[in-house]
Amino acid sequence: MTRARPKAGHPGPVSALSVRHKERTDLENVSRTPAETPVVSGPPQHVHGLGAPMSGREHAEFLIQAGRRLTASLNVRRCSRIAAELACSFLADTALVVLPAQYRRSRYLRATAAARGVEEGELSLAAIAELPGLAEALAGLTPAAGLAVDPGRVPGWVAPQAIGRIGHVRVASLPGSGMPAGALILIRGETSPPFDADTEALTGEFAVRAGAALSSALLFEEQSRTNEILTSALLPPELPHLEHAELAGSLRASQQAGQIGGDFYDLYWPQARQSSDTALEPSARDHGEGDGRSPDGDAPARPGAHGPQQADVWPSPLIVLGDVCGKGARAALLAGQIRHSLRTLLLVESRPERLIELVNRSLIASPVPDSTVTLVLATPRPAPDGHLLVDLAVAGHPEPLILRADGSVAAVTTGGTMLGILNRIDLATVTVDLAPGELCLLYSDGITEAIGGPGGHELYGVDRLAAALATCAGMPAAAVVQRLEQMTSRWATGGDQDDRALLAIRARPLPHRNPRGLSSHRVLLPGAAPDPRTALIPGTTPAPRTGTIDPSDPVPGASRPGGDATARAPRGRTEGCP
């Protein structure tokens, strides 16, 4: 394989190849998405005359250039297109790259020197069987150098009419990593020279490189598809439209590479209550706890806040916001397990405090280390005069904030224990009365612990969050969440950030009244005393509390939930958990 060197100043075939590679749009489109990459490009042209001898140097430089282009992208379509164009430029008049079958069909890309662009299409298993050796090549039973095929047995879909009569055909396997990555079909016209030994050797080496590149791209595509499927099951749900309340949420993962993390929120519509024999514990059935009835079985144990308002239906949705220990995929997996556990438990249990106890027992029994979570469960219920009662059950989670119609902000003084650490937990429950236009904000500690500010190392804090919330009086729930997310994002300039979650529950304003002019109805905290840590807006009048309420004197329109709202149990943190 000797060949006279070109004269000085005249580029040889390999130099021309290098120049052409630099000018081709594929290298410029490496960073584009598949949809952005044009399907049609200039026609592949023979850089090296078919059948002309190549020196060892030219042979090596072609393979180097091919390797660079083939490994420049992990996009299967782009990689297949580059392989077809390279094969068409040096090895054949027409080249097809056929990918492994998926769902009984195979994708193919065809490049032809006499036609413009690269054609794409799909082949059925019947069409694959029409070309001798193609099925064997896709199964990895054909050598990379390929096998000759009788031109008379080539079906019409293989080659376009532009090349004229088919003279020579080879079918080669593209070996991948552990399994074949596809097949390469090389076609030369009747006027082109046949495939010689040198071409067969070059075809084999090129097929190995193309197969390795395609194998990596196919693996990346499969992993991306799997990740997309798993991620879609962990994304927050679309919040429904409620007649008496506005709902809006925001979730931002700390890791930019993914959409999921340890923070989550969800909404559940409890099913019809099951019969008492479906309760989880025999003792609960014996005492009437499985169906929400008192020990004598005559009436619901706690109607209103935590029990059904009818005999067999719980009409209000259950809203959950939680924060598990850790970040990334492992935390997202635990968050998904908790969400599905709650969905299953709601088939047999509806009381939020009982649901939290069962989740705690499940986390303690989990073999996965650091299976801990903080939770807040909210049940919005319509009340007379357009008010909205929100029953809150908090387990070690940051205290919800209440935005009143006059722009004042107060924190719901609650406590509770982080789940997954202690067998016996303390749980705080409270009912909040929202007048039309007022809002209850649930959030994770990733909001208040966002690091940034002028020095880049200051926590955002509850006070700043409350001050930002105060500027949102009268705004819809979606606008409030969007504004708070923007403000915390601008603040969070530090590198190590936590996941952030926001969820707003707003009583729908009356259509004939201005939300800013509504009378203020304060947080109903049974047994609560003024809390010096309550978040108030500087320069505004502190939101008055109702003071100490006698447990025997229930709040009009709401029943007193169990537990002391001011009882503070040791609270865990999701960052730095044991």
Side-chain angles (χ1 to χ4, degrees), residues 263 321-325 356-357 360 363 372-377 392-400 412-422 424-429 443-446 448-449 533 565 567-575 577:
D263 288 6
L321 188 143
D323 184 2
V324 307
C325 178
I356 290 178
E357 293 174 0
N360 181 63
L363 292 175
T372 57
V373 65
T374 63
L375 284 178
V376 54
L377 277 62
L392 297 171
V394 183
H397 203 76
E399 298 170 340
V412 180
T413 307
T414 59
T417 308
M418 172 184 278
L419 307 183
I421 299 178
L422 303 176
R424 185 177 182 84
I425 60 173
D426 293 325
L427 182 63
T429 59
Y443 59 94
S444 66
D445 61 2
T448 55
E449 295 179 2
R533 297 184 301 168
R568 293 186 177 272
R571 292 180 55 190
R573 293 171 48 128
T574 57
E575 288 297 316
C577 55

Side-chain angles (χ1 to χ4, degrees), residues 138-151:
L138 290 172
L141 304 178
T142 302
L147 296 176
V149 177
D150 182 4

Side-chain angles (χ1 to χ4, degrees), residues 41-380:
S41 65
Q45 299 180 0
H46 295 307
V47 177
H48 187 282
L50 293 181
M54 295 179 63
S55 67
R57 178 186 179 88
E58 294 168 342
H59 184 118
E61 289 193 8
F62 164 70
L63 294 176
I64 292 173
Q65 292 282 359
R68 288 175 180 172
R69 294 193 63 194
L70 288 168
T71 57
S73 173
L74 286 175
N75 181 278
V76 174
R77 174 179 171 273
R78 189 175 302 129
C79 189
S80 302
R81 176 180 174 178
I82 292 173
E85 290 179 341
L86 286 172
C88 181
S89 299
F90 269 80
L91 302 174
D93 294 315
T94 295
L96 285 84
V97 173
V98 183
L99 298 176
Q102 291 183 345
Y103 308 107
R104 303 180 65 84
R105 302 190 68 85
S106 291
R107 292 180 290 171
Y108 75 88
L109 290 90
R110 178 171 58 195
T112 303
R116 178 177 177 80
V118 175
E119 301 177 50
E120 302 181 30
E122 290 186 345
L123 298 173
S124 63
L125 295 181
I128 292 174
E130 293 177 356
L131 180 61
L134 180 55
E136 291 79 4
L138 290 172
L141 304 178
T142 302
L147 296 176
V149 177
D150 182 4
R153 301 182 59 186
V154 175
W157 60 263
V158 174
Q161 297 180 355
I163 67 170
R165 293 174 59 92
I166 299 176
H168 316 281
V169 180
R170 293 192 72 84
V171 178
S173 179
L174 298 177
S177 177
M179 60 185 304
L184 177 65
I185 305 174
L186 302 177
I187 303 171
R188 290 186 177 183
E190 190 177 34
T191 59
S192 299
F195 297 97
D196 56 15
D198 293 339
T199 304
E200 293 177 8
L202 183 61
T203 299
E205 296 184 57
F206 172 77
V208 170
R209 287 162 173 76
L214 276 173
S215 179
S216 299
L218 288 168
L219 178 61
F220 179 79
E221 183 182 73
E222 180 181 0
Q223 292 176 340
S224 299
R225 189 183 304 112
T226 302
N227 181 68
E228 182 180 357
I229 294 173
L230 296 176
T231 300
S232 62
L234 299 175
L235 293 176
E238 182 178 355
L239 296 175
H241 173 86
L242 301 180
E243 181 180 359
H244 52 280
E246 296 178 9
L247 303 177
S250 171
L251 194 63
R252 179 176 292 240
S254 60
Q255 299 181 356
Q256 297 181 358
Q259 300 176 292
I260 54 177
D263 288 6
F264 65 93
Y265 65 81
D266 209 337
L267 182 142
Y268 306 93
W269 290 100
Q271 305 296 320
R273 297 295 300 272
Q274 307 296 318
S275 59
S276 60
D277 58 358
T278 60
L280 296 182
E281 295 182 352
S283 59
R285 294 198 300 268
D286 297 338
H287 294 85
E289 296 179 7
D291 59 355
R293 305 183 71 82
S294 61
D296 57 10
D298 293 333
R302 286 191 299 271
H306 303 298
Q309 295 181 354
Q310 297 179 6
D312 58 351
V313 177
W314 188 23
S316 299
L318 176 67
I319 301 171
V320 179
L321 188 143
D323 184 2
V324 307
C325 178
K327 304 176 185 178
R330 186 182 299 275
L333 179 61
L334 178 58
Q337 292 173 345
I338 294 173
R339 291 172 60 186
H340 287 291
S341 297
L342 285 170
R343 190 176 303 277
T344 303
L345 289 171
L346 278 171
L347 297 175
V348 294
E349 180 59 69
S350 63
R351 293 166 294 174
E353 65 272 24
R354 181 63 176 150
L355 290 172
I356 290 178
E357 293 174 0
L358 294 172
V359 171
N360 181 63
R361 290 171 55 181
S362 175
L363 292 175
I364 291 177
S366 174
V368 180
D370 297 332
S371 295
T372 57
V373 65
T374 63
L375 284 178
V376 54
L377 277 62
T379 305

